[in-house]
Amino acid sequence: MDRKIALIGGGGVRAPLVIFGVDEATEALGAAEMVLYDPDQERLAVMVELGKAIVAKSGGSLRLRAATSAEDAIEGAHFVLNSIRVGGIAGRAADERAAIDHGYPGQETTGPAGVAMALRTVPAALEQARLVERLSPDAWLVNFTNPAGLITQAVTRHSRVKMVGICDTPTELFHNIAKALGEPLSDVQCDYVGLNHLGWVRGVRVRGQDVMDTLLTSDELLRQLYLAPLFDFNMIRSLRLIPTEYLFFYYERRRALHNQLQQGGSRGAEIQQLNQVLIDTLKSRLTAGDGDGAVATYAAYLNQRSGSYMKLEAEGGSAFDPDVSLQVDPFRTATGYHRIAIDVMSALTGAKPATIVVNTRNRGALPDLPDDDIVETAARISLDSIVPEPIAPLPDEVRGLVHAVKAYERAAIDAALANVRLTARKALLIHPAIGEWSPSEALLHNMFGTIDADGECLCQGPMHGHLHA
């Protein structure tokens, strides 16, 4: 019970949720201390204080502190959680705006904004991985940072750290399928295949019985699988595949863009507004010593954010629409990043071995891709071990898309490491949600040359301002 857990990006708005999860699972994790680091020390202080209020409210024992440096956080850690956003939420909003202005949907991990996020984030993620190599070589690096599959691939290819990428998108869909069927999740088996933010369920069984046709033939059941109306049910039936939500930005690009134009903004811009109100309110409540009020403010923020997810892109709605907030306890929901992170770490300590969908080296599990490629797949996780389970080849309907996205990921990693404009333009060209050469130059200029009202470049890291010719 003396393990240290580090969170890089501890000033982020999801940090308190992760703190809650770690505190709740201290026994399985053997965790005594959680150390948070963020270059924004003011934000970091707010999240650490909120975290302490959350631990106190739940009667937990987890010790929390803010680190003075990334090295301070990482050294001696058993797990290093990485959840960073280079350029901050303002950078996301600017990238999404640039994509929309050029005629593409604005979304943080797919399309032009996703390329920009990858180009900025790869160097920073590798820098932090090398700190883990040097200061805690036996630690597991658990990657929350988006685009999660691409970042996990870059780090595993170019460092020696033990790493796993996590995302709650697949498990969220599994829970929704089980709920729609009226069955406990433990009795439902979903056959999942794909990459991060590019995955499909191609088979569903309940206690061993195939129920895929039951799902596919029922509009009512399919309607319950997504928070917003994303896909035409006949499309799902024609594919005989249930897509995860991010396929919306491939299968319904025109609709996504139309709704963003009609609404006049992007999800990133709305989150920027929500975050500013959250931080201001948290500061006020924590300064007044109202820890319970701060926790309640944070829970309401999570419910507003989660309840409005994909509403803008699918319906032209807004996070500020009335009655959009969920009415749940966001700390104790069955899904979410904090849940899958705790499940993965608890399995890696040997306390609770489990089969979980994660981003990990293929190692022959999916015959369509090389062994060293990162895939999002079910893996058996036990003490210091992640072994992907063998799965059937990709269906014809999605094989080309998966190969194209994986080729884009490799090109984007190369571009980020070389810092070369031509390679970055090639990544944009290869990306199947972009696929054009002529707009790529202006897109790169707009995304990497954006200046805010204070004259500061919104992007950070090796690529800010320009790419080498």
Side-chain angles (χ1 to χ4, degrees):
M1 295 294 294
D2 61 351
R3 288 183 177 131
K4 171 184 176 182
I5 296 176
L7 174 58
I8 308 300
V13 293
R14 295 198 184 276
L17 201 56
V18 180
I19 290 168
F20 172 84
V22 172
D23 178 61
E24 193 177 47
T26 51
E27 185 174 348
L29 298 176
E33 179 184 41
M34 189 169 179
V35 181
L36 282 65
Y37 172 71
D38 197 286
D40 187 333
Q41 292 289 304
E42 185 178 0
R43 282 276 295 264
L44 178 63
V46 171
M47 294 306 162
V48 169
E49 287 307 306
L50 177 58
K52 288 178 179 178
I54 289 169
V55 172
K57 186 175 177 65
S58 63
S61 60
L62 183 69
R63 299 194 308 271
L64 290 175
R65 71 175 176 89
T68 57
S69 65
E71 290 86 347
D72 176 29
I74 290 169
E75 187 168 17
H78 190 86
F79 291 104
V80 177
L81 311 180
N82 186 17
S83 181
I84 64 173
R85 183 183 293 280
V86 179
I89 191 64
R92 171 185 173 178
D95 288 341
E96 290 180 349
R97 183 73 258 170
I100 292 168
D101 288 345
H102 283 269
Y104 300 94
Q107 205 283 323
E108 62 172 331
T109 64
T110 64
V115 178
M117 189 180 207
L119 293 175
R120 292 200 183 100
T121 308
V122 165
L126 278 170
E127 182 180 342
Q128 290 161 5
R130 290 180 181 122
L131 288 178
V132 176
E133 282 182 329
R134 178 165 60 87
L135 299 171
S136 294
D138 295 326
W140 278 93
L141 179 55
V142 182
N143 181 61
F144 289 72
T145 299
N146 277 321
L150 187 152
I151 298 302
T152 304
Q153 176 135 343
V155 172
T156 54
R157 283 272 179 95
H158 296 282
S159 78
R160 300 185 304 277
V161 296
K162 298 187 296 184
M163 187 180 195
V164 60
I166 63 171
C167 179
D168 63 342
T169 297
T171 55
E172 183 82 28
L173 182 56
F174 302 164
H175 276 269
N176 290 349
I177 288 171
K179 184 178 179 181
L181 292 169
E183 299 286 353
L185 182 64
S186 57
D187 287 346
V188 179
Q189 298 82 44
C190 295
D191 178 7
Y192 180 82
V193 65
L195 309 176
N196 178 242
H197 290 186
L198 196 86
W200 300 263
V201 169
R202 59 179 170 186
V204 180
R205 297 177 301 283
V206 174
R207 293 178 291 277
Q209 181 178 355
D210 187 338
V211 295
M212 191 67 170
D213 284 338
T214 301
L215 271 172
L216 293 179
T217 56
S218 170
D219 285 4
E220 181 56 34
L221 293 179
L222 291 176
R223 192 173 291 115
Q224 297 178 57
L225 303 188
Y226 307 99
L227 190 62
L230 300 179
F231 305 109
D232 186 283
F233 298 151
N234 285 329
M235 184 205 77
I236 295 175
R237 292 176 184 123
S238 70
L239 291 173
R240 288 195 61 82
L241 298 166
I242 300 172
T244 53
E245 58 210 15
Y246 286 93
L247 267 299
F248 181 76
F249 295 100
Y250 294 87
Y251 293 153
E252 294 284 359
R253 292 198 296 275
R254 293 185 184 185
R255 179 153 67 101
L257 177 61
H258 171 79
N259 287 331
Q260 289 176 331
L261 290 169
Q262 185 178 55
Q263 201 273 347
S266 74
R267 174 72 169 173
E270 291 198 336
I271 295 298
Q272 186 177 10
Q273 295 179 58
L274 288 174
N275 286 2
Q276 188 58 59
V277 173
L278 171 70
I279 298 301
D280 290 345
T281 308
L282 289 177
K283 285 180 182 178
S284 175
R285 295 200 180 279
L286 292 169
T287 300
D290 184 9
D292 286 351
V295 174
T297 294
Y298 181 65
Y301 161 85
L302 292 175
N303 277 336
Q304 184 177 5
R305 179 168 175 159
S306 297
S308 59
Y309 186 63
M310 296 292 284
K311 296 287 189 181
L312 191 158
E313 297 89 347
E315 301 176 297
S318 169
F320 303 101
D321 289 341
D323 302 323
V324 74
S325 295
L326 300 178
Q327 302 300 316
V328 299
D329 181 348
F331 295 102
R332 301 190 183 280
T333 55
T335 60
Y337 274 118
H338 65 307
R339 291 296 177 204
I340 190 168
I342 299 311
D343 288 346
V344 168
M345 290 191 291
S346 298
L348 286 170
T349 65
K352 297 181 178 181
T355 299
I356 306 171
V357 173
V358 292
N359 288 270
T360 189
R361 280 194 178 97
N362 185 25
R363 294 167 62 182
L366 181 62
D368 302 83
L369 293 174
D371 287 354
D372 284 344
D373 270 350
I374 296 298
V375 295
E376 190 167 75
T377 190
R380 183 64 183 170
I381 305 178
S382 56
L383 179 62
D384 280 330
S385 173
I386 300 178
V387 180
E389 296 186 336
I391 55 177
L394 291 164
D396 284 347
E397 292 81 358
V398 301
R399 184 178 295 114
L401 181 55
V402 170
H403 278 279
V405 170
K406 185 52 75 174
Y408 146 70
E409 289 184 355
R410 298 187 196 105
I413 293 167
D414 289 345
L417 295 178
N419 204 33
V420 173
R421 182 177 294 272
L422 193 62
T423 311
R425 292 186 70 185
K426 181 176 79 169
L428 287 160
L429 175 68
I430 293 172
H431 198 307
I434 306 170
E436 296 179 279
W437 180 257
S438 296
S440 61
E441 181 68 22
L443 271 167
L444 287 174
H445 173 76
N446 283 9
M447 292 186 296
F448 287 92
T450 301
I451 305 297
D452 68 13
D454 298 320
E456 296 292 330
C457 183
L458 290 175
C459 48
Q460 301 174 18
M463 284 197 162
H464 62 205
H466 69 279
L467 296 169
H468 297 305

